[in-house]
């Protein structure tokens, strides 16, 4: 009896469509509305932009944590997000539920440095992460990361592994 073939998965993030699609065996399995950077696409450090190009999921953070767990510096704070907590900290950039930390694969584009300085997605802390349900989806609104609804993120998190390819395209 032969062993089953591993599922070949990859993610496409389309900034123009504000969508994230998970493909398995080249079939679209899941498609989500997302929110990328309000500053648009770009790869430079401190740009507040969502980086383009080929990436992988370098680290999965938050497995088995409750939905709406608050993370700061990739560490759970012990808080669970709710409207009251949100009202107490209106300026906070909420990172909730799970983190898929991306690492760029293209030297000089989204890995390492280029003529303008650092362009490293991993060093920029570019994540796919959850956000409060009150935050808009389908429009660019983040500080560079890819924001998702928490329930959608839990589904995606369980469907991917570290090393899963992620391609971010402008259109």
């Amino acid at each position: 009896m032969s062993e089953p073939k591993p599922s070949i998965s990859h993610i496409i993030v389309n900034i123009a469509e504000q969508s994230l699609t998970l493909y398995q065996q080249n079939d679209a399995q899941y498609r989500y509305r997302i929110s990328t950077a309000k500053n648009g696409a770009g790869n430079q450090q401190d740009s507040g932009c969502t980086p383009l190009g080929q990436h992988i999921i370098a680290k999965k953070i938050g497995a088995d944590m409750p939905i709406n767990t608050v993370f700061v510096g990739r560490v759970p704070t012990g808080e669970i997000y709710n409207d009251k907590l949100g009202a107490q900290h209106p300026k906070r950039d909420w990172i909730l539920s799970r983190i898929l930390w991306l690492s760029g694969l293209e030297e000089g584009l989204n890995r390492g440095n280029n003529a303008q300085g650092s362009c490293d997605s991993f060093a920029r802390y570019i994540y796919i992460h959850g956000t409060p349900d009150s935050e808009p989806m389908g429009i660019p609104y983040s500080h560079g990361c890819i924001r998702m609804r928490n329930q959608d993120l839990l589904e995606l998190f369980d469907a991917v592994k570290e090393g899963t390819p992620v391609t971010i395209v402008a259109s």
Side-chain angles (χ1 to χ4, degrees):
M1 183 187 314
S2 64
E3 291 185 39
K5 291 183 179 179
S7 175
I8 299 170
S9 300
H10 67 278
I11 293 171
I12 304 288
V13 173
N14 186 306
I15 293 174
E17 294 178 2
Q18 292 294 291
S19 67
L20 181 152
T21 306
L22 173 65
Y23 292 87
Q24 293 177 325
Q25 301 292 345
N26 293 318
D27 291 323
Q29 296 295 308
Y30 301 105
R31 183 177 169 95
Y32 305 103
R33 286 175 51 109
I34 58 167
S35 179
T36 59
K38 62 184 167 191
N39 288 350
N43 294 53
Q44 293 308 122
Q45 182 78 33
D46 300 322
S47 66
C49 294
T50 299
L52 297 172
Q54 303 295 320
H55 294 79
I56 60 165
I57 296 172
K59 294 188 184 226
K60 290 177 59 174
I61 300 168
D64 301 322
M65 298 302 297
I67 193 167
N68 290 316
T69 293
V70 176
F71 291 88
V72 173
R74 297 156 310 284
V75 177
T77 65
E79 301 164 299
I80 301 296
Y81 181 86
N82 58 38
D83 292 340
K84 182 179 177 187
L85 185 62
Q88 290 171 346
H89 305 280
K91 302 280 187 199
R92 209 157 155 189
D93 183 21
W94 298 101
I95 297 173
L96 305 179
S97 297
R98 303 284 185 276
I99 297 169
L100 298 171
W101 191 357
L102 302 182
S103 180
L105 298 176
E106 297 171 272
E107 194 68 38
L109 178 68
N110 55 32
R111 184 179 186 89
N113 296 295
N114 60 26
Q116 291 81 41
S118 178
C119 61
D120 196 290
S121 295
F122 191 78
R124 290 181 58 204
Y125 304 104
I126 298 297
Y127 313 140
I128 300 170
H129 67 80
T131 196
D133 289 335
S134 58
E135 293 294 305
M137 289 292 127
I139 63 168
Y141 202 68
S142 82
H143 297 144
C145 288
I146 298 153
R147 294 179 177 180
M148 294 183 71
R149 292 276 176 247
N150 293 291
Q151 197 62 51
D152 292 347
L153 179 59
L154 267 59
E155 183 176 68
L156 179 66
F157 189 91
D158 289 344
V160 299
K161 299 176 181 174
E162 289 181 357
T164 297
V166 178
T167 302
I168 305 173
V169 298
S171 60

